[in-house]
Amino acid sequence: MTPAPASWRELLGPEHLGAVIVMAGGVLVGAVNIYLASSMLPTVVADIGGASFYAWSMTIYLVATVIATMLVSRFLSRWGNVGAYLLGFAVFMVGSLACAASMTMPMLLVGRGVQGLGAGLLSGLGFAVIRSALPRRLWTRGNALMSAMYGIGNFVGPALGGLFAQFGSWRLAFVLMAVIAVACGAVVPRVLPRSERSDARAPIPIVSLMLVTAATLAVSVAGVLPGAMTRAAGIVVALLLVVGFVLHERRSELRVFPRTTYRAGSPLKWVYLTLGLLAFGVAAESFLPLFGQRLAGLPPVAAGFFGAVISLGWSVTQIGSSSAVRERTVRRLIAIGPVLLALGFLAQGLLQRESVPIWLVAIWVPVLFVAGSGIGIAYPHLSVAAMASTPDPEEGRQAAAAIATVTTMSTAFGTAVAGVLVNLGGRSMLDSARYLLFGFAIICAIGIVTARAATRSSRPGPSSSEPSSSEPSEPSEPSEPSGRTR
């Protein structure tokens, strides 16, 4: 008597298509631009100079993105769905045009910072607005689509940047991003529901914001510092700042994460930790193209696509995973996700060789795809668990927006840790590959423990603010099959 899952056709039907395009488009442009600029930087430096600022493009963008994601719930309270989205697309457009018009590297970095603020706001809104833009039964499908945008962005960003760089037209790539932002922003008032706004100015959690910003900055800088010990020290500083952030949030009334996160017995903290460890694994893609070129002799284009296989597995498997509605099935998918991710890295590490033959490269691809599928089968259900962790609308928006914060911070941490592990290999590319893959296998295996803790408590029921469109909170009981709406 379990209710049938809502279909993709319903999510992408006329009633919801406009809102879905806006939400998914906002997350996608933010994800694409993480690596779009990085793949064009050699061409940019050759044109406008500034090689000494090379590594700061990614750092400034990620720090700005994290800051913006932490303020999403406050923008929603002040401006509502429509106003917050218009602001996000406008800021992203201004940042993109500033990048396109840059004549020096410092000007480009300012543009990247503004672009990151818009991207962070749009990424957080993509998850937070699902609660009001879609009925409860479509939350899993909606979250699957939003999180798939990260995987698609990781795949499209380098390819698109490389294409524009190939023809020396890097400025046009930023113009294209601005045009997409304008197109999405133009339809926002017509397709998004207008949520309630509050004239009261919600206080900003300054201390929490400063601690998270400092942690993100520390780990981002650690990722570009020379020497393994220096990078390790930067990561340790960042971890200490994160600990300080958690201790402060537990005592403070002004929080970035909802109050439920720190409540005794609440699984929400484990949900966020599991999401973070899954997103952490994607950072391995930063060095996979390097291993493909140096160990397997792949040409740059083929190595680039090889590096995006984890993201491809993440995106593709969410299509099937989001169909699951039985509570037992959902729990199993969440538990299996970190297992597949860790085993994928372990197997990939065992398969590393000098002068890899082509038949072994052919095995690499499905192994990495399986690792990415571990993210895809668990991510949408963990996202819904975070969104449905509280019936309070304000806390629900805060919990949903925090998904983007956790994802972005974990990517930054993962990139820095990957750099440290690769440096441990010294001049041996084979050793570097093994350190990275085995190290990531161990770290991502921690998610097996956090996933079990996240599913230990029963799944929360739907928000009381959406009784007419919600699924039954206990779908396995035959007495409540009527929770679906048509």
Side-chain angles (χ1 to χ4, degrees), residues 43 53 60 69 78 95 182 199 224 278 302 425 438 464:
T43 304
F53 296 101
I60 289 176
T69 57
R78 185 72 179 88
V182 170
D199 292 330
V224 299
L278 290 173
F438 290 147
S464 58

Side-chain angles (χ1 to χ4, degrees), residues 141-276:
R141 296 285 195 193
N143 273 284
L145 186 62
M146 296 308 114
S147 56
M149 294 301 104
Y150 285 113
I152 293 173
N154 290 347
F155 188 83
V156 172
L160 188 63
L163 180 64
F164 278 95
Q166 181 73 33
F167 295 99
S169 303
W170 63 270
R171 297 182 190 274
L172 288 180
F174 289 115
V175 172
L176 175 62
M177 293 296 103
V179 170
I180 294 173
V182 170
C184 290
V187 301
V188 164
R190 296 198 296 269
V191 301
L192 286 182
R194 296 183 179 273
S195 60
E196 294 183 4
R197 294 167 52 181
S198 172
D199 292 330
R201 294 183 180 274
I204 296 175
I206 298 295
V207 177
S208 294
L209 197 63
M210 291 176 61
L211 287 169
V212 170
T213 301
T216 307
L217 185 60
V219 76
S220 298
V221 171
V224 299
L225 291 174
M229 293 305 297
T230 309
R231 290 188 176 191
I235 293 171
V236 170
V237 170
L239 290 174
L240 291 175
L241 288 167
V242 170
V243 172
F245 164 79
V246 172
L247 294 176
H248 171 75
E249 287 244 314
R250 288 176 65 90
R251 298 191 305 266
S252 175
E253 289 300 318
L254 295 179
R255 300 178 178 88
V256 171
F257 290 93
R259 182 181 293 104
T260 310
T261 309
Y262 308 101
R263 192 169 293 155
S266 170
L268 186 55
K269 53 183 169 293
W270 303 113
V271 169
Y272 284 138
L273 281 171
T274 309
L275 281 169

